[in-house]
Amino acid sequence: MSEVESTRFLEIEHKFIVTEDFDVPGFFARVRAQHPQKEYETRVADTYYLLKAVPHLVYRHRFDGLIQHLTAKSVSSQDSETRTEINLELNVPVGDQGEAIAAFLTPFGIEWSGSLQKDVQVFYFDNVEIVYYRATFGERIVTCIELEARFPDSINSARNVLENWELRLGLVPSKRSHLSLLHLLVLETLPIKLKEKLASM
């Protein structure tokens, strides 16, 4: 397997949790000064599923009116930097296919399902996608910046891209979060058996 093929179904990203007093306009200005190819703002609904038949992955249905995916993702309680992410592109014009996806996954044994809402600002560059978002799950809220490498040749080259962009944007590498959104927002709300399952992934 070539290096390119080895990263095809990987998500390689760094996440930074920001506080309420974070200078959002100043951060956006720094990003825009780098001349993004494209940017857009949207509200995303992410519905996650834990399945009995697939104990080491989570499934996510994402819909925001612009994109619609069904995604298989690995989840790590150690470090969320590099994870499996396999996206199936779904038809957007037909509308939200959440009901059909739930029916599709039911034979695999849905142990838990829950939806996160995200208000998102996205900036695209050649080699990185920069996302600022506020995610909510019930009463729980977290605000994050995520940098995801685009089309990397290898895991190491992706890490180099992320580190370079962190320096450009004034982010401190040692302060990045190693936890996934499920660990940050959902884990503590789950029944004990599912909490143990997610924590052990």
Side-chain angles (χ1 to χ4, degrees):
M1 180 183 294
S2 72
E3 284 191 320
V4 173
E5 290 174 331
S6 71
T7 62
R8 182 180 177 190
F9 296 119
L10 291 180
E11 174 188 59
I12 306 167
E13 69 176 22
H14 286 174
K15 178 191 287 90
F16 297 83
I17 298 172
V18 299
T19 57
E20 289 294 327
D21 61 352
F22 180 72
D23 179 11
V24 178
F27 177 74
F28 286 0
R30 290 196 297 277
V31 175
R32 289 179 178 130
Q34 304 296 319
H35 308 294
Q37 297 171 331
K38 180 175 72 171
E39 68 173 277
Y40 69 90
E41 183 178 0
T42 189
R43 174 166 286 184
V44 178
D46 283 344
T47 301
Y48 288 86
Y49 296 88
L50 296 177
L51 304 178
K52 289 181 182 179
V54 192
H56 302 300
L57 295 173
V58 298
Y59 283 75
R60 181 190 69 198
H61 172 223
R62 167 166 289 175
F63 182 67
D64 68 4
L66 297 173
I67 61 170
Q68 185 162 204
H69 292 159
L70 177 60
T71 304
K73 293 174 68 76
S74 62
V75 178
S76 173
S77 58
Q78 304 301 314
D79 191 349
S80 64
E81 178 196 67
T82 303
R83 295 181 291 166
T84 299
E85 181 174 281
I86 305 167
N87 289 309
L88 299 180
E89 301 279 349
L90 303 180
N91 198 334
V92 173
V94 302
D96 187 343
Q97 297 181 62
E99 186 176 342
I101 286 168
F104 178 84
L105 293 176
T106 293
F108 297 94
I110 297 174
E111 295 184 288
W112 173 86
S113 176
S115 294
L116 310 180
Q117 304 297 318
K118 293 165 71 175
D119 291 304
V120 179
Q121 182 79 29
V122 186
F123 302 89
Y124 285 104
F125 297 85
D126 281 339
N127 60 358
V128 73
E129 176 182 329
I130 299 170
V131 184
Y132 171 88
Y133 64 83
R134 178 181 171 92
T136 60
F137 178 72
E139 300 298 315
R140 302 170 70 87
I141 301 172
V142 66
T143 304
C144 298
I145 295 166
E146 285 184 357
L147 284 67
E148 180 177 349
R150 302 183 70 203
F151 318 118
D153 294 329
S154 66
I155 293 175
N156 282 338
S157 69
R159 288 173 175 156
N160 289 337
V161 165
L162 298 179
E163 290 168 5
N164 178 269
W165 277 96
E166 287 164 1
L167 290 174
R168 289 195 207 183
L169 299 176
L171 299 170
V172 180
S174 63
K175 293 187 177 180
R176 76 173 176 91
S177 173
H178 295 262
L179 298 176
S180 72
L181 270 185
L182 286 181
H183 287 89
L184 291 169
L185 287 178
V186 174
L187 180 65
E188 293 306 316
T189 71
L190 295 175
I192 186 64
K193 287 186 178 181
L194 291 181
K195 186 184 293 187
E196 291 172 352
K197 176 177 179 175
L198 185 60
S200 68
M201 286 183 172

